Amino acid sequence: MSNTEEEDDRPYSMAQVKSVVRRKIRKQPEHEEHFLNIYPMMDMMVILLVFLIMQFASSSASAIVESEELRIPYSTSEAQLDEALSVQISRNRIVVDGDEVLTLRSGRVDSSDKQGGGNGFLITPLYRKAQAVADLKKQIAQQNPSRPFRGEIQLIADERTPFRTLAEIIYSLGQCGFKDLRFVVRGTGS
């Protein structure tokens, strides 16, 4: 037998085993940790979200599509629209910021949707939605004092909407802090 065969048959000492393990570890490249810090990315996304919300809020009135249920009255006013909560009142429904809040019957609110029944003025589904929007706008105003909550509303109402329905809607919005109302109308040239 050769000398190398004799060495293979005998057991290794603990020092020799550790030496072999250390050599193997040294031959392996060190593992590099790569990670992505998501906190700046989250900040950027929040800023973009606020920017997009403000952009959509200011452009909501320009995207009004007239139909048989929503005919906007004419006016000769030259006032420009500012950023405000958009409330559309057609013959069949009330839409707040693109979300349908309530269905109407020939322009009238069903008594089951009003606090106090048929004689009540507070439209509860509209109140809940407007209060949620007001709370959100107030939180944004606290975070960004340059954009205070002014309680502005753009009412886009069908020209055949009954006065009682308009009064109920204005009252319900007023209970949430929306007090600056503007009616959106078409110019005589459009």
Side-chain angles (χ1 to χ4, degrees):
M1 269 194 171
S2 73
N3 192 18
T4 56
E5 289 178 11
E6 287 176 11
E7 287 178 9
D8 291 339
D9 291 338
R10 70 182 166 99
Y12 288 105
S13 69
M14 187 56 95
Q16 289 173 325
V17 170
K18 286 183 179 179
S19 173
V20 170
V21 169
R22 280 190 214 111
R23 265 187 270 136
K24 295 278 184 185
I25 289 175
R26 267 187 252 133
K27 288 182 182 178
Q28 296 291 329
E30 284 195 34
H31 178 67
E32 296 180 18
E33 287 190 32
H34 296 287
F35 63 93
L36 182 63
N37 189 357
I38 65 168
Y39 293 112
M41 192 179 303
M42 287 173 36
D43 291 343
M44 179 183 66
M45 294 306 289
V46 168
I47 291 169
L48 283 173
L49 178 65
V50 170
F51 173 75
L52 289 173
I53 288 172
M54 294 305 180
Q55 283 297 103
F56 285 123
S58 65
S59 66
S60 62
S62 61
I64 301 168
V65 178
E66 286 193 70
S67 64
E68 185 56 39
E69 291 85 34
L70 179 64
R71 288 191 285 174
I72 299 173
Y74 292 100
S75 174
T76 58
S77 174
E78 297 293 327
Q80 295 296 318
L81 297 176
D82 289 334
E83 180 181 316
L85 177 68
S86 171
V87 178
Q88 286 187 2
I89 309 158
S90 68
R91 299 290 292 162
N92 301 339
R93 60 190 176 150
I94 297 175
V95 177
V96 176
D97 263 355
D99 295 330
E100 184 174 337
V101 176
L102 181 68
T103 55
L104 302 174
R105 283 193 229 151
S106 299
R108 299 194 184 282
V109 179
D110 189 58
S111 60
S112 65
D113 291 323
K114 294 190 277 187
Q115 184 179 19
N119 292 330
F121 262 83
L122 185 71
I123 305 169
T124 52
L126 176 61
Y127 173 79
R128 276 188 248 123
K129 175 66 175 179
Q131 189 63 51
V133 171
D135 291 343
L136 178 66
K137 288 186 179 268
K138 287 175 184 175
Q139 285 177 349
I140 291 172
Q142 286 177 347
Q143 299 295 325
N144 189 0
S146 66
R147 299 185 83 95
F149 175 72
R150 294 187 292 251
E152 296 176 335
I153 294 277
Q154 292 179 359
L155 283 175
I156 306 160
D158 183 80
E159 61 187 13
R160 301 162 292 179
T161 303
F163 180 76
R164 170 74 186 207
T165 303
L166 280 176
E168 292 168 351
I169 291 169
I170 292 170
Y171 176 80
S172 300
L173 294 170
Q175 295 303 306
C176 301
F178 291 103
K179 307 221 185 273
D180 188 5
L181 304 172
R182 290 188 205 107
F183 284 93
V184 176
V185 293
R186 282 189 295 164
T188 53
S190 50

